[in-house]
Amino acid sequence: MARACIGITTAHNAEQDYYYCRNTYVGGVRQAGGVPLLLPPLTDREAMLSCAGKIDALLLSGGGDLQPFLFGEEPHWKLEEFDPERDDFEIGMLRLMIDLGKPVLGICRGIQVINVALGGTLYQDLAAQQPQSLQHRQGAARRYPTHSVAVRQSSKLAAIVGMDKLQVNSLHHQSIKEPAPGLQVTAWAEDGVIEGVEAPGQHWLLGVQWHPEAMWEHDQAAASLFSALVHAAGA
Ligand code: MN
Protein backbone atom coordinates (compact mmCIF):
# COMPACT_ATOMS: atom_id res chain seq x y z
CA MET A 1 0.00 0.00 0.00
CA ALA A 2 1.25 3.49 -0.83
CA ARG A 3 2.45 5.40 2.20
CA ALA A 4 1.01 8.84 2.97
CA CYS A 5 3.30 11.73 1.99
CA ILE A 6 3.30 14.52 4.55
CA GLY A 7 4.60 17.91 3.42
CA ILE A 8 6.42 19.71 6.25
CA THR A 9 7.02 23.45 5.93
CA THR A 10 10.52 24.76 6.62
CA ALA A 11 12.09 27.90 8.06
CA HIS A 12 14.63 30.09 6.32
CA ASN A 13 17.94 31.06 7.87
CA ALA A 14 18.32 34.47 6.25
CA GLU A 15 21.89 35.06 7.38
CA GLN A 16 23.29 31.92 5.78
CA ASP A 17 20.50 31.38 3.25
CA TYR A 18 19.35 27.83 3.90
CA TYR A 19 16.01 26.19 4.65
CA TYR A 20 15.72 23.96 7.69
CA CYS A 21 13.40 21.86 9.78
CA ARG A 22 14.04 20.16 13.12
CA ASN A 23 14.66 16.44 12.81
CA THR A 24 11.95 15.76 15.40
CA TYR A 25 9.19 16.75 12.91
CA VAL A 26 10.67 14.37 10.34
CA GLY A 27 10.99 11.65 12.97
CA GLY A 28 7.43 12.17 14.20
CA VAL A 29 6.03 11.62 10.72
CA ARG A 30 8.37 8.71 10.05
CA GLN A 31 7.57 6.84 13.26
CA ALA A 32 3.87 7.21 12.44
CA GLY A 33 4.42 5.49 9.09
CA GLY A 34 4.31 8.58 6.87
CA VAL A 35 6.80 9.81 4.29
CA PRO A 36 8.12 13.25 5.30
CA LEU A 37 8.70 15.76 2.47
CA LEU A 38 10.31 19.06 3.36
CA LEU A 39 8.80 22.06 1.60
CA PRO A 40 10.64 25.31 0.96
CA PRO A 41 8.33 28.24 0.20
CA LEU A 42 6.87 28.50 -3.29
CA THR A 43 5.93 31.93 -4.51
CA ASP A 44 3.43 31.35 -7.30
CA ARG A 45 0.00 29.87 -7.08
CA GLU A 46 0.48 27.25 -9.81
CA ALA A 47 3.49 25.82 -8.02
CA MET A 48 1.53 25.72 -4.76
CA LEU A 49 -1.38 24.01 -6.52
CA SER A 50 0.95 21.32 -7.92
CA CYS A 51 2.49 20.82 -4.50
CA ALA A 52 -0.88 20.62 -2.71
CA GLY A 53 -2.06 18.12 -5.31
CA LYS A 54 0.89 15.82 -4.66
CA ILE A 55 1.08 15.71 -0.87
CA ASP A 56 -1.46 13.78 1.18
CA ALA A 57 -1.33 16.11 4.20
CA LEU A 58 0.40 19.28 5.34
CA LEU A 59 2.27 19.84 8.59
CA LEU A 60 2.78 23.55 9.38
CA SER A 61 5.88 23.55 11.56
CA GLY A 62 7.00 25.90 14.29
CA GLY A 63 9.01 29.06 13.69
CA GLY A 64 9.05 32.81 13.94
CA ASP A 65 6.32 35.42 14.16
CA LEU A 66 3.65 36.30 11.61
CA GLN A 67 3.52 39.62 9.86
CA PRO A 68 0.96 41.68 11.85
CA PHE A 69 -0.46 43.31 8.67
CA LEU A 70 -1.98 39.88 7.98
CA PHE A 71 -4.38 40.40 10.88
CA GLY A 72 -4.75 44.15 10.55
CA GLU A 73 -2.27 45.33 13.18
CA GLU A 74 0.83 47.48 13.35
CA PRO A 75 3.98 45.91 14.89
CA HIS A 76 4.03 45.75 18.68
CA TRP A 77 7.47 46.68 20.02
CA LYS A 78 7.97 43.09 21.23
CA LEU A 79 7.34 41.63 17.78
CA GLU A 80 10.23 39.40 16.69
CA GLU A 81 11.56 38.23 13.32
CA PHE A 82 9.04 37.39 10.61
CA ASP A 83 9.32 36.11 7.05
CA PRO A 84 6.63 37.34 4.62
CA GLU A 85 7.59 34.71 2.03
CA ARG A 86 6.97 31.93 4.52
CA ASP A 87 3.71 33.55 5.70
CA ASP A 88 2.38 33.79 2.13
CA PHE A 89 3.38 30.22 1.28
CA GLU A 90 1.89 28.66 4.40
CA ILE A 91 -1.35 30.63 4.17
CA GLY A 92 -1.64 29.85 0.46
CA MET A 93 -0.98 26.15 0.98
CA LEU A 94 -3.42 25.97 3.89
CA ARG A 95 -6.20 27.43 1.73
CA LEU A 96 -5.46 24.96 -1.06
CA MET A 97 -5.47 22.02 1.35
CA ILE A 98 -8.84 23.18 2.67
CA ASP A 99 -10.16 23.39 -0.92
CA LEU A 100 -8.85 19.87 -1.58
CA GLY A 101 -10.17 18.51 1.74
CA LYS A 102 -6.70 17.23 2.72
CA PRO A 103 -5.54 17.00 6.36
CA VAL A 104 -3.54 19.78 8.01
CA LEU A 105 -1.77 19.82 11.37
CA GLY A 106 -0.41 23.15 12.62
CA ILE A 107 2.19 23.11 15.39
CA CYS A 108 3.03 26.25 17.42
CA ARG A 109 3.50 28.87 14.69
CA GLY A 110 1.27 26.55 12.63
CA ILE A 111 -1.79 27.06 14.85
CA GLN A 112 -1.21 30.80 14.46
CA VAL A 113 -1.01 30.47 10.66
CA ILE A 114 -4.30 28.55 10.65
CA ASN A 115 -6.00 31.16 12.81
CA VAL A 116 -4.75 34.17 10.83
CA ALA A 117 -5.45 32.55 7.44
CA LEU A 118 -9.07 32.01 8.49
CA GLY A 119 -9.56 35.54 9.81
CA GLY A 120 -8.46 35.44 13.46
CA THR A 121 -5.94 37.59 15.32
CA LEU A 122 -2.88 37.04 17.53
CA TYR A 123 -1.27 38.45 20.63
CA GLN A 124 2.00 39.69 19.17
CA ASP A 125 3.64 39.20 22.55
CA LEU A 126 1.79 37.34 25.25
CA ALA A 127 4.01 38.48 28.14
CA ALA A 128 3.56 42.17 27.27
CA GLN A 129 -0.12 42.02 26.25
CA GLN A 130 -1.32 39.50 28.86
CA PRO A 131 1.11 40.08 31.73
CA GLN A 132 -0.86 37.89 34.15
CA SER A 133 -0.37 34.84 31.94
CA LEU A 134 1.62 31.75 32.89
CA GLN A 135 5.11 31.16 31.59
CA HIS A 136 4.65 30.11 27.96
CA ARG A 137 8.27 30.34 26.92
CA GLN A 138 9.81 27.71 29.11
CA GLY A 139 13.37 27.64 30.33
CA ALA A 140 13.32 23.83 30.53
CA ALA A 141 14.43 21.67 27.60
CA ARG A 142 11.88 21.28 24.79
CA ARG A 143 11.00 17.69 25.64
CA TYR A 144 9.70 18.49 29.13
CA PRO A 145 6.08 19.51 29.73
CA THR A 146 5.74 22.67 31.83
CA HIS A 147 2.03 23.57 31.90
CA SER A 148 -1.25 21.77 31.56
CA VAL A 149 -4.05 22.24 29.05
CA ALA A 150 -7.72 21.34 29.34
CA VAL A 151 -9.09 19.58 26.24
CA ARG A 152 -12.63 20.17 24.96
CA GLN A 153 -14.78 17.08 25.26
CA SER A 154 -16.08 15.58 22.01
CA SER A 155 -13.43 17.34 19.95
CA LYS A 156 -11.22 15.59 17.40
CA LEU A 157 -8.30 16.45 19.67
CA ALA A 158 -9.94 14.68 22.63
CA ALA A 159 -10.60 11.61 20.51
CA ILE A 160 -6.97 11.55 19.33
CA VAL A 161 -5.25 12.00 22.69
CA GLY A 162 -7.88 10.16 24.73
CA MET A 163 -7.59 12.56 27.68
CA ASP A 164 -9.30 15.71 28.91
CA LYS A 165 -6.15 17.16 30.43
CA LEU A 166 -2.61 17.14 29.03
CA GLN A 167 0.79 18.21 30.29
CA VAL A 168 2.47 20.07 27.46
CA ASN A 169 5.67 21.91 26.69
CA SER A 170 5.44 25.62 25.88
CA LEU A 171 7.83 27.53 23.60
CA HIS A 172 5.79 30.42 22.28
CA HIS A 173 5.62 34.17 22.90
CA GLN A 174 2.62 34.74 20.62
CA SER A 175 -0.79 33.09 20.81
CA ILE A 176 -4.32 33.31 19.42
CA LYS A 177 -6.24 36.40 20.53
CA GLU A 178 -9.53 36.26 18.60
CA PRO A 179 -10.18 32.77 17.21
CA ALA A 180 -11.13 32.75 13.53
CA PRO A 181 -14.78 32.28 12.69
CA GLY A 182 -15.23 28.66 11.71
CA LEU A 183 -12.61 27.35 14.12
CA GLN A 184 -13.49 25.65 17.38
CA VAL A 185 -11.19 26.19 20.35
CA THR A 186 -10.25 22.75 21.68
CA ALA A 187 -7.61 23.39 24.34
CA TRP A 188 -6.81 26.06 26.90
CA ALA A 189 -4.04 26.66 29.41
CA GLU A 190 -5.15 27.53 32.95
CA ASP A 191 -4.67 31.25 32.25
CA GLY A 192 -7.14 31.03 29.37
CA VAL A 193 -4.49 31.11 26.64
CA ILE A 194 -5.77 29.18 23.63
CA GLU A 195 -3.66 26.09 22.99
CA GLY A 196 -5.73 24.13 20.45
CA VAL A 197 -8.15 24.74 17.57
CA GLU A 198 -9.79 22.61 14.92
CA ALA A 199 -12.30 22.75 12.09
CA PRO A 200 -15.49 21.37 13.64
CA GLY A 201 -16.81 19.62 10.53
CA GLN A 202 -15.56 16.87 8.23
CA HIS A 203 -12.22 18.42 7.42
CA TRP A 204 -9.20 17.15 9.42
CA LEU A 205 -7.68 20.52 10.33
CA LEU A 206 -6.06 20.80 13.76
CA GLY A 207 -3.70 23.20 15.42
CA VAL A 208 -1.84 22.90 18.72
CA GLN A 209 0.17 25.63 20.41
CA TRP A 210 2.61 23.22 22.03
CA HIS A 211 5.33 21.09 20.41
CA PRO A 212 4.32 17.40 20.17
CA GLU A 213 7.29 16.85 17.83
CA ALA A 214 9.61 17.40 20.80
CA MET A 215 7.67 14.94 23.01
CA TRP A 216 6.51 11.98 20.89
CA GLU A 217 9.38 9.71 21.92
CA HIS A 218 8.13 9.54 25.51
CA ASP A 219 4.59 10.97 25.41
CA GLN A 220 1.69 8.91 24.06
CA ALA A 221 -0.58 11.92 23.43
CA ALA A 222 2.11 13.62 21.36
CA ALA A 223 2.80 10.45 19.36
CA SER A 224 -0.92 9.99 18.76
CA LEU A 225 -1.17 13.40 17.05
CA PHE A 226 1.37 12.29 14.44
CA SER A 227 -0.34 8.91 14.04
CA ALA A 228 -3.71 10.62 13.58
CA LEU A 229 -2.29 12.96 10.92
CA VAL A 230 -0.72 10.12 8.95
CA HIS A 231 -3.84 8.00 9.32
CA ALA A 232 -6.08 10.84 8.13
CA ALA A 233 -3.72 11.42 5.19
CA GLY A 234 -4.01 7.80 4.15
CA ALA A 235 -7.79 7.60 4.49
MN1 MN B 1 1.72 27.44 26.23
Side-chain angles (χ1 to χ4, degrees):
M1 195 181 112
R3 310 264 295 274
C5 291
I6 315 297
I8 307 174
T9 58
T10 57
H12 185 230
N13 180 312
E15 204 172 306
Q16 295 180 60
D17 198 22
Y18 60 84
Y19 294 106
Y20 66 96
C21 166
R22 283 179 185 270
N23 189 19
T24 47
Y25 290 99
V26 170
V29 168
R30 196 183 265 152
Q31 63 84 28
V35 178
L37 299 176
L38 301 190
L39 306 178
L42 303 163
T43 51
D44 70 278
R45 196 184 141 77
E46 276 201 0
M48 286 190 215
L49 199 51
S50 293
C51 179
K54 289 206 164 58
I55 58 177
D56 298 305
L58 178 66
L59 199 174
L60 298 166
S61 63
D65 290 356
L66 273 88
Q67 197 178 5
F69 283 157
L70 294 168
F71 49 96
E73 291 189 7
E74 297 292 322
H76 187 276
W77 70 279
K78 294 288 274 182
L79 181 72
E80 298 178 6
E81 193 180 1
F82 64 83
D83 175 355
E85 197 169 81
R86 183 176 182 186
D87 291 348
D88 291 348
F89 172 61
E90 292 189 329
I91 289 171
M93 283 295 289
L94 171 64
R95 293 198 173 125
L96 289 169
M97 297 300 278
I98 291 172
D99 290 347
L100 294 168
K102 293 184 177 183
V104 179
L105 175 62
I107 290 180
C108 195
R109 171 191 156 86
I111 189 178
Q112 296 163 12
V113 170
I114 291 169
N115 191 54
V116 168
L118 299 181
T121 62
L122 304 179
Y123 290 114
Q124 292 186 42
D125 185 78
L126 202 47
Q129 295 177 295
Q130 294 285 289
Q132 82 293 2
S133 60
L134 295 169
Q135 183 189 64
H136 286 277
R137 203 176 230 178
Q138 71 190 46
R142 302 173 71 86
R143 65 185 182 277
Y144 296 121
T146 59
H147 73 66
S148 52
V149 296
V151 177
R152 180 192 286 274
Q153 287 186 358
S154 311
S155 61
K156 292 187 187 85
L157 179 64
I160 290 164
V161 299
M163 287 182 264
D164 57 13
K165 195 161 192 188
L166 296 175
Q167 310 295 324
V168 301
N169 54 7
S170 196
L171 295 133
H172 56 110
H173 86 108
Q174 302 199 310
S175 76
I176 292 176
K177 185 162 63 181
E178 281 296 316
L183 283 179
Q184 184 175 56
V185 177
T186 57
W188 300 261
E190 272 196 14
D191 54 9
V193 167
I194 293 171
E195 295 265 347
V197 295
E198 64 190 43
Q202 278 282 308
H203 189 212
W204 202 100
L205 169 65
L206 271 83
V208 295
Q209 186 61 71
W210 65 95
H211 282 274
E213 87 286 356
M215 299 176 73
W216 59 262
E217 280 187 85
H218 53 88
D219 181 277
Q220 186 52 46
S224 64
L225 271 165
F226 282 90
S227 302
L229 173 68
V230 171
H231 183 261

